[in-house]
Amino acid sequence: SLVAVDHVDLSVKGGEIFGFLGANGAGKTTTVRILCGLMMPTSGIAMVVGHDVVKEPEEVKQRIGYMPQAYGLYDDLTVEENLEFFGSVYRVPSDERRKRADEILQLVRLEEFRKQYAGQLSGGMKRRLSLAVSLIHNPELLILDEPTAGIDPPLRRIFWEYFRQLNRRGVTFFINTHYMDEAELCDRLALISYGRLVSIGSPTELKRKAIGGEQVELVTADLPTTDAILKHSELVREISASDGGIRVIVDEAASAIPRLTSLLREHGVEVLQVRQLQPSLEDVFIRLVQEGGERTRL
Ligand SMILES: Nc1ncnc2c1ncn2[C@@H]1O[C@H](COP(=O)(O)OP(=O)(O)OP(=O)(O)O)[C@@H](O)[C@H]1O
Ligand SMILES: [Mg+2]
């Protein structure tokens, strides 16, 4: 028997965009199904919008919007009938339902397809309708399981603009994603691997954690001397060669850059270029998962 989600302990703050990342099979969907009250945890508790998902799953379902990873629409209903149906399930008053349906269809660019059967839409359009349905009852928390998977890049941007807009109006987001550019847009991220939480924090915090500080790259006229000087600086935690320069890891790049530059100048080394390097989140996650794996093996 496989433990799909094991001791995942996290809390999402009201009003934030929280990203949940992990490889295929890491346990993201299982976690969100528990959070939505669709699946019961074998142990542990989850509180969502102030309610216990095990004891009061209906309360939770009424107040959240859930966009499943798997397709959950009625193929034999049209686009607008799907919205109508889900709106009635959530007991949205009928005049408001129509108004919201119009607004949402415009958002997901499906107005022209409102009379088309859901089953006849393309894959990306089905994802769009799925998002539309999750919004019909104006939920305060949106739990989206890979909402932009299979969505073309221009539309992904539109989705994210809309997420931001809703977020400014106070809607909280919990988003499973594989896209690193989307992860960068989240306020905080949690990384899960083999059902266990590996790391949690803002994108900046996770980068700092994975790298052990911040990265600075220096290009000088005399790299061997630069290496010898920087090696002995108390500001430098790690040093390595980079493409055409020297890369160091420091606590804080902003304060280290002027200090390292003047240190080199004092030693007569001409500094040609110095800049902070931003690690990609992809590298960060690979490092964090590897470190996490090593910790559990020990
Ligand atoms: N209904 C099920 N019955 C048995 N095992 C399952 C079931 N659903 C998921 N699992 C297993 O639970 C683990 C976690 O799956 P889950 O779907 O939560 O991963 P995920 O992080 O959402 O992956 P993906 O990125 O592929 O969507 C996997 O090992 C999966 O095989
Ligand atoms: Mg999944």
Side-chain angles (χ1 to χ4, degrees):
S1 61
L2 174 103
V3 178
V5 176
D6 191 8
H7 291 89
V8 169
D9 185 1
L10 57 85
S11 65
V12 176
K13 297 171 195 157
E16 75 180 344
I17 299 183
F18 192 90
F20 201 46
L21 291 105
N24 288 138
K28 301 180 299 297
T29 295
T30 307
T31 303
V32 301
R33 286 179 58 80
I34 291 170
L35 295 178
C36 294
L38 297 168
M39 203 172 165
M40 294 295 135
T42 41
S43 68
I45 55 163
M47 300 293 289
V48 176
V49 291
H51 297 277
D52 185 320
V53 295
V54 174
K55 293 180 186 143
E56 300 169 301
E58 293 313 315
E59 294 286 339
V60 172
K61 284 180 207 165
Q62 273 300 323
R63 290 176 52 191
I64 65 171
Y66 171 52
M67 178 179 172
Q69 182 173 15
Y71 182 64
L73 303 169
Y74 291 96
D75 277 349
D76 52 348
L77 295 183
T78 65
V79 165
E80 62 183 8
E81 284 165 353
N82 266 286
L83 281 170
E84 178 70 22
F85 172 76
F86 283 98
S88 69
V89 167
Y90 285 111
R91 294 194 282 271
V92 180
S94 60
D95 49 338
E96 195 190 320
R97 211 145 73 204
R98 226 153 294 136
K99 205 174 125 245
R100 273 201 69 72
D102 287 343
E103 185 191 317
I104 298 167
L105 285 177
Q106 200 179 335
L107 150 78
V108 298
R109 307 283 196 270
L110 284 178
E111 307 114 301
E112 295 161 52
F113 300 93
R114 56 194 309 152
K115 303 281 181 203
Q116 192 155 325
Y117 288 109
Q120 293 171 348
L121 298 172
S122 74
M125 287 176 186
K126 285 177 179 168
R127 298 299 290 154
R128 282 142 67 179
L129 180 55
S130 199
L131 174 69
V133 159
S134 75
L135 294 168
I136 192 72
H137 57 303
N138 219 351
E140 64 199 87
L141 167 68
L142 275 172
I143 297 184
L144 310 175
D145 199 350
E146 302 193 30
T148 60
I151 298 281
D152 60 53
L155 194 66
R156 277 176 63 200
R157 187 168 301 165
I158 292 168
F159 267 38
W160 270 87
E161 276 164 17
Y162 190 68
F163 294 167
R164 284 265 168 93
Q165 199 182 314
L166 286 175
N167 182 245
R168 279 195 295 271
R169 285 193 234 154
V171 177
T172 306
F173 284 79
F174 189 102
I175 306 183
N176 287 353
T177 180
H178 281 290
Y179 294 115
M180 290 302 148
D181 55 338
E182 292 186 357
E184 289 277 5
L185 300 172
C186 295
D187 296 313
R188 286 196 311 141
L189 300 167
L191 178 63
I192 183 177
S193 175
Y194 297 105
R196 286 177 173 263
L197 199 64
V198 173
S199 230
I200 185 164
S202 68
T204 311
E205 283 164 358
L206 293 189
K207 283 176 188 170
R208 185 183 286 272
K209 192 168 165 191
I211 304 298
E214 293 179 345
Q215 284 178 318
V216 173
E217 186 187 60
L218 299 108
V219 181
T220 68
D222 182 353
L223 292 177
T225 309
T226 304
D227 182 72
I229 296 165
L230 294 183
K231 237 177 216 156
H232 295 106
S233 163
E234 80 280 10
L235 292 174
V236 173
R237 288 199 184 173
E238 264 181 55
I239 184 163
S240 59
S242 72
D243 193 20
I246 285 177
R247 184 178 302 181
V248 294
I249 292 176
V250 296
D251 273 344
E252 195 197 26
S255 59
I257 285 174
R259 290 171 69 188
L260 293 176
T261 309
S262 54
L263 177 71
L264 289 168
R265 289 203 175 117
E266 281 162 26
H267 286 81
V269 176
E270 189 191 349
V271 179
L272 303 172
Q273 197 189 75
V274 52
R275 62 187 178 127
Q276 182 177 354
L277 296 180
Q278 288 296 344
S280 73
L281 262 186
E282 198 152 344
D283 288 342
V284 166
F285 287 128
I286 291 166
R287 282 192 193 216
L288 290 173
V289 167
Q290 277 166 354
E291 282 170 22
E294 274 154 28
R295 270 205 306 276
T296 35
R297 270 200 295 279
L298 284 174

